[in-house]
Amino acid sequence: MKHRALLAVLAAAFVYLPAHAEDGYDLWLRYGQQSSYPPSAEHSRELVHSDASPTLAAVGRELASGLGGLAGAPIPVVREPSRPGALLYGTPRSSALIAGLSLGLERVGPEGYVIRSVTLGGKAATVIAGNTDVGALYGAFHYLRLVQTRALAQNLDIVSRPRTRLRLLNHWDNLDGHVERGYAGQSIWDWHKLPDWLDPRYTDYARACASIGINGSVLTNVNANATSLTPAYLEKAAALAGVLRPYGVRVYLTARFSAPIELGGLKTADPLDPGVRAWWKAKIDEIYRYIPDFGGFLVKANSEGQPGPQDYQRNHADGANMLAEALAPHDGIVMWRAFVYASSATEDRAKQAHAEFLPLEGRFAKNVLVQVKNGPIDFQPREPFSPLFGAMPKTPLMMEFQITKEYLGFATHLAYLAPLFEEALDADTGSARKGSTVARVVTGELDQHELSGMAGVANIGADRNWSGSHFDQANWYAFGRLAWDPDVSSQAIAEEWVRMTFSNDPAFVQPVVEMMMGSREAVVDYMTPLGLAHLMGTGHHYGPAPWVSDLSRPEWNPAYYHRADANGIGFERGPKGSNATGQYSPRVAAAFADPKKTPENLLLWFHHVSWDHKMSSGRTLWDELVTHYDRGVGKVRQMRLTWEAQSGRVDAGRFAQVSAFLAIQEKEAQWWRDACIAYFQSISKRPLPVGSAPPAHSLDYYKSLKFPYAPGRG
Ligand code: GCV
């Protein structure tokens, strides 16, 4: 009796009550009452509780609070099923009942799960089971998602396992709280107060990550600070690891290559020096004493001024392998970034990663992944896929996407990035092997790599809504969903997210999903249409600055990328130019090398094209360019109308902020359009197509605008 009373109290405590007015804090984990739930006697009449581990205790809390909230009444929490409609969760080890069922768990690996309608002792029940506790946790979030989106079928038979092993957020967070390229406030990691104060927000972060299958977090910026490897900071990282661990999120750190000099007082950081190797081994052993399940290191080396093995005439493999050797006994891994471009190189920047890494194929240790940005340059609104994908079959290549929108208008522009991620993942690398998409390279399926991964540069900060804008939460969500399964469509993910985050009302879902789906292309149109890239303001990347051509390194200048002149515009990367196209597999290279076969949305990435070149629309390139800029602004106008029509279907707080941000986006889209047209017209000397309005201001006006305090600076 006493026991029962306790469980009732526990259940009541788990009923979901939003702690505050809608400010976006709850992300997609909203458990407000759903009239359609529970759908039938078969579902969720009681929750069979297990707290056999901290992870299963977390599953229990999430299901009790989630289902209680969704049903509008506490769900009874019991130790044994007592009536039809019980919901069980766990593993064959945690539950004799689960062990007694044949669920086919051998198909789901260490992190997957099964959600199945079963009969137990003649009574209908639902089982959420994994081989591990964390598998059950992922299954529980899937179950909640089904309820939240009204997709819970009467008879459940769901089997899911992640396609990539490492699904990681990369935080570009500095120890002083500044987030490089962060537009959502300061870092959520309060290093100063750690390890003594564990902000409850860390748990909510872990819940959000787990709900979409993210299983690792690189806490620190790739522009690394060796201080993060000192005992005081390892203790802080260990405290965070303790909060994240029950949710299956492992902690990783960035390693500053010169740490042996800066922390160890050595004279060198040469990776082949025995003293340096011994220093790293001791440091890594020390890290594991603090964090026994430490995931490993992410390293940016010899890139944008970061130290690295090339400082000692060694190569990237020498550097990565040294760390890998010391991490291997602990099952740790190294993610070595391929984002490199040298100040001294005269080579096309788009070619440099491939040129530096291809010769190292086959030379990396087994526990090294090379982490490659989706495109050859740097997270532009549109890039072709990096030619490294498909070119290094012996090396696990990890995908690096940017969730934070450094080049897509920061947090105030609504740009749903899943179509961008999807475009990269679906790209055919053209290798002779069948089904050689970028996705299958990244999952390791193409080349049978056990180690595989996807990283997303986080857009998370201390703002109440986490991401700086309500719609940017969708990009965090979509990244996780695609890292779990790169074949889920961006449209399906948008729909799920909208339903969970805002509303299941079809009158809301359909237009808002449509608005999201077109939003990235709108940004491409008003910023960098037809394959243009890197036209953003110097340093902060805020706003247009295509005219900049006086910075010390050529590839820091927008003019380097667009190469507009009296004849035309675009970077010739075919065989007559830099021959970057030659880095792709022969089939893809043949298409990209020929302007007639190059997709028009990448035309100016690969070719310098005459202003009068005839496009498929029948327009000249110049007219087409202007038409795209106009279209981009028009799309944002339409997005505003779509959103305004939703008034009353969303809470006032979130509605107002989205409205205000869309107004900013329209203003800035117009600015982008006007400034770019004013500048390019000064070079093309062509009239605007009929019906296209002249820019609001002179070119000099746009050039005079300065933004010394734009957020997120490096
Ligand atoms: C963390 C771009 C960004 C830098 C970033 C770098 C990288 O250059 O502007 O802020 O540095 O990419 O990915 O390492």
Side-chain angles (χ1 to χ4, degrees), residues 3 24 40 53 83 133 174 248 260 263 292 306 317 399 404 432 440 460 483 523 538 595 599 643:
H3 184 60
S40 69
S53 71
R83 54 175 149 173
D133 297 348
N174 295 332
L263 300 183
Q306 293 300 307
M399 170 62 85
T404 190
R440 296 195 69 240
I460 297 162
V523 177
T538 302
W643 186 253

Side-chain angles (χ1 to χ4, degrees), residues 252-301:
Y252 298 74
L253 293 170
T254 47
R256 182 157 167 87
F257 204 76
S258 51
I261 302 173
E262 289 160 36
L263 300 183
L266 303 190
K267 293 231 153 23
T268 175
D270 180 349
L272 300 193
D273 180 274
V276 171
R277 298 175 82 82
W279 187 87
W280 277 112
K281 187 178 175 325
K283 178 52 70 184
I284 287 166
D285 291 346
E286 182 189 5
I287 295 176
Y288 279 91
R289 285 196 294 277
Y290 282 98
I291 311 172
D293 57 351
F294 177 62
F297 285 137
L298 170 64
V299 187
K300 172 175 177 178

Side-chain angles (χ1 to χ4, degrees), residues 293-566:
D293 57 351
F294 177 62
F297 285 137
L298 170 64
V299 187
K300 172 175 177 178
N302 293 121
S303 169
E304 299 187 327
Q306 293 300 307
Q310 292 173 347
D311 303 345
Y312 309 95
Q313 288 69 56
R314 313 296 184 197
N315 62 40
H316 291 291
D318 295 329
N321 293 347
M322 170 194 60
L323 296 174
E325 189 182 301
L327 284 159
H330 305 282
D331 283 336
I333 55 126
V334 175
M335 295 162 287
W336 193 270
R337 294 176 88 228
F339 176 72
V340 291
Y341 62 105
S343 50
S344 50
T346 48
E347 185 63 281
D348 172 4
R349 175 172 168 190
K351 291 179 71 180
Q352 291 186 38
H354 184 279
E356 247 177 72
F357 278 83
L358 198 67
L360 301 176
E361 166 70 328
R363 292 174 61 186
F364 288 98
K366 274 200 164 47
N367 54 336
V368 176
L369 298 108
V370 172
Q371 183 166 307
V372 183
K373 288 190 181 182
N374 58 284
I377 291 185
D378 195 12
F379 301 138
Q380 297 303 298
R382 170 164 283 119
E383 296 192 33
F385 67 93
S386 163
L388 278 169
F389 293 114
M392 295 182 70
K394 293 187 189 141
T395 309
L397 297 186
M398 188 157 171
M399 170 62 85
E400 180 175 318
F401 285 126
Q402 193 180 50
I403 307 173
T404 190
K405 304 202 312 295
E406 175 182 353
Y407 295 99
L408 287 98
F410 303 177
T412 38
H413 291 212
L414 195 162
Y416 172 55
L417 297 180
L420 184 162
F421 302 158
E422 187 175 48
E423 188 174 293
L425 291 165
D426 289 352
D428 180 3
T429 66
S431 111
R433 291 156 298 156
K434 216 170 152 239
S436 56
T437 57
V438 170
R440 296 195 69 240
V441 173
V442 169
T443 56
E445 291 158 354
L446 190 64
D447 303 302
Q448 284 86 50
H449 289 300
E450 219 205 292
L451 205 50
S452 64
M454 229 192 262
V457 179
N459 63 350
I460 297 162
D463 278 7
R464 276 297 293 174
N465 66 23
W466 300 84
S467 302
S469 85
H470 298 295
F471 274 88
D472 275 340
Q473 297 175 354
N475 295 328
W476 176 9
Y477 182 86
F479 166 76
R481 298 285 287 119
L482 283 166
W484 184 277
D485 181 358
D487 287 341
V488 187
S489 80
S490 54
Q491 165 110 16
I493 295 172
E495 182 166 335
E496 254 173 43
W497 177 82
V498 167
R499 287 174 175 274
M500 293 165 81
T501 306
F502 285 114
S503 163
N504 276 302
D505 177 355
F508 181 87
V509 175
Q510 191 272 330
V512 172
V513 168
E514 200 180 306
M515 171 181 82
M516 289 170 73
M517 289 303 292
S519 59
R520 177 269 189 141
E521 204 59 41
V523 177
V524 171
D525 275 339
Y526 63 73
M527 286 190 185
T528 52
L530 299 171
L532 289 174
H534 226 305
L535 307 182
M536 295 77 190
T538 302
H540 46 62
H541 300 151
Y542 174 63
W547 44 82
V548 173
S549 62
D550 58 356
L551 302 175
S552 58
R553 280 176 63 161
E555 74 291 359
W556 284 348
N557 292 290
Y560 169 91
Y561 296 95
H562 63 68
R563 306 202 163 201
D565 59 22

